[in-house]
Amino acid sequence: MTLRRVIFSIVQIIFDLLIFNLCLFAARVNLNFQIQVFLTGAVLAFFLFSSMYGFRSWSFWEETRQCMRSCLYVFSLSMLFLFAEKSRIPLFSLTLSFAMFIPLCLLVRYFFKPLLFKLGLFSKTVIILGAGDAGEILAGRIMTSPFTARKILGFFDDDNDKQGKTIVGVPVLGRLSDFERMQGELQAEEAIISIPTASREELSGILAKVEEMTAHVLYVPNMYMLTTSAAEIRSVDGMPVISSSQGLLNPANRLIKNTIDYIGGFLALILFSPLMLYSACKIKRDDGGKILFRHERIGQGLKPFKMYKFRTMVENAEEILREMLKDENLRREFEEAFKFKDDKRITKIGKFLRRTSLDELPQIFNVLRGEMSLTGPRPIVQKEIDLYYGQRTAKQIFRVKPGMTGFWQVSGRNDVEDYQQRIDFDLYYIHNWSIWLDIIIIIRTIKAVLKGSGAY
């Protein structure tokens, strides 16, 4: 670790310890000096053990998970210590202090670390070998997350159509054969090989060149959308294998998810009932038609169900649709996305409901009926299965309930142009499910709705 990293790590430690002690004071946790030193030291020890001061290229969500996990350990250890010492510390006060510390700690990190990365103090320069779908997705995630601490210098790819172009704002600098020559000028600190379709021989040759000239090499495997986030590299008598499991196939995890859905659905109904009542009144006042729209979608086990939404279109929407589909350009747009960006059938209040996603709120009833989940794959129509999914892929995805929101929705929503990419996002969710992933999706959904991104 360089001297610069040591200095900024010490600064981060001071911030964390100062915030922790301020939270203890604000929660009125009366501790003697020895116990306060013990708790402060425990926070520091667990944060150090969890690499919270290593300025790693984590996403904000990974940093949040590590922070919460470390605080849970410290809290549990604190309770055991205080019980052993027979200290009369109110449980509520101690819990409140940690409840304040976690968001404040993350808030400081949210601004402090990206600021250092923007100043170029800890960010790595990166080149990506392979500008296909995997490379494009990877570059997009690096560029949209301020916590990855990476600056992409460019792509290298052998595709003639990609030469001289930019992909997600990153230039294609040349072919794979140009890497050795240009790396001497670029001096990239890290290289990411993102050519999932490369043969073993091709990959071996690429690795040999890259490892000679780059300090750190990452590799995206050809199962990048199917490998779970919980995957581990293990050894079977010296042979490396990837260990992977799917959380939603575990009956205990399904029970937990269903429980969360029912509790969350009930709370959401209470929380959003004023907005739902307001929306219903506006729709009825607008044209006097039906408030709810029921549409047949494919559910768990490929069984159809009626999905509820607030009606956002005129009553004779089907007649107007038939007229619109006579236009070849509109018909092509509808066949690709099953909706229009500029839909003449949408009412005035309907535009507002769609822009704010309030039209989706009646799906809470689907959740409470056990037909949908708060988070899950996209609820689709049978025609989408026939045209894009196929029975095998559809069965794989809809082993679980479709969701009000999901990984696809928070990864671009309707702005995702490639339909296969939408399917890949749903497959990724199925293979990588965890309670933590659901929490991230819900938070990112709220953020996307507030920004109005991708909604129409």
Side-chain angles (χ1 to χ4, degrees):
M1 183 180 286
T2 63
L3 178 60
R4 186 169 57 187
R5 283 181 177 268
V6 171
I7 293 173
F8 283 106
S9 293
I10 291 173
V11 172
Q12 183 72 73
I13 289 172
I14 293 172
F15 278 145
D16 288 344
L17 298 186
L18 180 62
I19 293 169
F20 180 70
N21 282 277
L22 286 174
C23 289
L24 289 176
F25 176 78
R28 298 183 179 181
V29 181
N30 297 316
L31 302 172
N32 61 45
F33 180 74
Q34 290 82 358
I35 295 178
Q36 188 159 345
V37 169
F38 169 80
L39 292 182
T40 305
V43 170
L44 176 59
F46 276 102
F47 272 34
L48 284 169
F49 184 76
S50 301
S51 302
M52 294 287 285
Y53 301 112
F55 287 94
R56 292 190 173 187
S57 299
W58 283 338
S59 70
F60 177 69
W61 304 110
E62 290 172 315
E63 186 116 13
T64 301
R65 180 168 56 180
Q66 287 294 93
C67 180
M68 293 180 69
R69 180 184 295 171
S70 298
C71 287
L72 178 61
Y73 291 151
V74 175
F75 180 79
S76 301
L77 182 63
S78 302
M79 295 306 299
L80 289 173
F81 179 80
L82 295 173
F83 177 77
E85 290 290 314
K86 298 181 179 180
S87 300
R88 296 181 179 178
I89 303 299
L91 178 61
F92 175 77
S93 297
L94 191 61
T95 305
L96 180 61
S97 65
F98 277 95
M100 291 189 294
F101 171 66
I102 292 173
L104 288 174
C105 172
L106 291 171
L107 185 64
V108 170
R109 288 170 175 269
Y110 186 82
F111 290 103
F112 181 63
K113 292 185 69 173
L115 176 62
L116 296 181
F117 298 151
K118 283 183 179 179
L119 294 174
L121 296 175
F122 294 124
S123 58
K124 291 182 179 179
T125 52
V126 179
I127 54 97
I128 300 177
L129 283 78
D133 290 341
E136 182 177 346
I137 292 172
L138 178 66
R141 292 183 182 179
I142 289 174
M143 295 178 67
T144 55
S145 174
F147 278 75
T148 53
R150 290 182 171 95
K151 179 182 178 182
I152 306 175
L153 300 180
F155 287 104
F156 288 92
D157 195 285
D158 284 341
D159 189 339
N160 291 329
D161 294 334
K162 292 184 171 67
Q163 302 307 311
K165 295 184 178 180
T166 59
I167 298 175
V168 292
V170 179
V172 178
L173 301 176
R175 301 177 182 276
L176 297 177
S177 57
D178 297 321
F179 167 75
E180 287 183 274
R181 174 179 57 82
M182 296 197 69
Q183 172 63 355
E185 303 172 9
L186 297 172
Q187 292 296 309
E189 300 168 79
E190 185 175 82
I192 304 177
I193 301 174
S194 183
I195 315 175
T197 56
S199 66
R200 181 177 178 181
E201 291 75 17
E202 290 172 329
L203 181 60
S204 178
I206 294 170
L207 277 170
K209 292 179 181 179
V210 174
E211 288 178 338
E212 286 181 5
M213 304 188 67
T214 314
H216 194 205
V217 180
L218 301 179
Y219 170 63
V220 178
N222 61 2
M223 47 191 300
Y224 71 98
M225 286 302 291
L226 301 179
T227 304
T228 72
S229 57
E232 298 176 335
I233 296 180
R234 296 183 180 178
S235 175
V236 177
D237 196 22
M239 177 178 287
V241 295
I242 296 178
S243 169
S244 178
S245 62
Q246 295 184 39
L248 281 177
L249 296 184
N250 187 321
N253 287 340
R254 289 196 180 210
L255 177 62
I256 292 171
K257 185 170 175 60
N258 288 336
T259 302
I260 293 173
D261 283 337
Y262 287 121
I263 295 174
F266 180 72
L267 293 175
L269 183 62
I270 295 174
L271 178 64
F272 293 112
S273 56
L275 283 174
M276 295 175 70
L277 183 61
Y278 167 80
S279 301
C281 292
K282 289 289 288 185
I283 293 170
K284 198 67 177 176
R285 189 183 304 168
D286 197 29
D287 60 11
K290 295 179 180 179
I291 294 172
L292 291 179
F293 172 72
R294 298 171 179 86
H295 197 257
E296 188 171 284
R297 299 296 175 99
I298 300 302
Q300 188 175 20
L302 299 183
K303 296 178 181 178
F305 72 98
K306 295 293 184 180
M307 188 182 76
Y308 301 129
K309 297 181 74 171
F310 280 126
R311 182 175 62 85
T312 58
M313 294 185 179
V314 295
E315 291 277 51
N316 61 335
E318 289 299 321
E319 297 175 16
I320 298 176
L321 175 62
R322 285 193 289 269
E323 290 297 318
M324 293 176 69
L325 293 180
K326 293 178 181 179
D327 185 305
E328 186 177 344
N329 293 328
L330 291 177
R331 179 168 52 81
R332 190 181 302 115
E333 180 184 349
F334 187 78
E335 288 175 352
E336 290 177 355
F338 290 93
K339 58 177 67 178
F340 304 103
K341 285 196 173 184
D342 183 18
D343 199 330
K344 299 176 181 178
R345 301 172 296 166
I346 301 175
T347 62
K348 184 178 180 181
I349 181 62
K351 290 180 180 179
F352 169 75
L353 293 175
R354 289 193 173 203
R355 188 173 65 252
T356 57
S357 296
L358 291 176
D359 63 317
E360 310 281 354
L361 288 179
Q363 291 168 32
I364 294 173
F365 295 113
N366 290 117
V367 173
L368 294 175
R369 286 165 57 96
E371 297 166 331
M372 293 181 67
S373 176
L374 293 175
T375 56
R378 294 181 310 112
I380 59 174
V381 298
Q382 181 62 44
K383 191 174 181 181
E384 291 178 89
I385 293 179
D386 299 335
L387 289 175
Y388 302 109
Y389 283 71
Q391 287 295 118
R392 184 175 180 180
T393 301
K395 283 182 179 179
Q396 184 180 7
I397 291 175
F398 290 100
R399 286 178 294 184
V400 300
K401 300 173 187 176
M404 287 184 65
T405 185
F407 191 71
W408 168 75
Q409 287 91 328
V410 300
S411 300
R413 302 178 78 191
N414 296 317
D415 293 328
V416 178
E417 297 180 358
D418 185 356
Y419 203 97
Q420 182 58 47
Q421 193 173 336
R422 301 180 185 185
I423 297 173
D424 288 341
F425 282 141
D426 283 339
L427 287 170
Y428 180 89
Y429 174 81
I430 297 298
H431 286 87
N432 288 272
W433 178 85
S434 67
I435 294 176
W436 181 246
L437 179 59
D438 278 356
I439 292 172
I440 292 173
I441 288 172
I442 291 172
I443 294 174
R444 290 179 65 180
T445 298
I446 295 171
K447 182 180 177 181
V449 169
L450 292 175
K451 289 174 64 179
S453 57
Y456 55 84

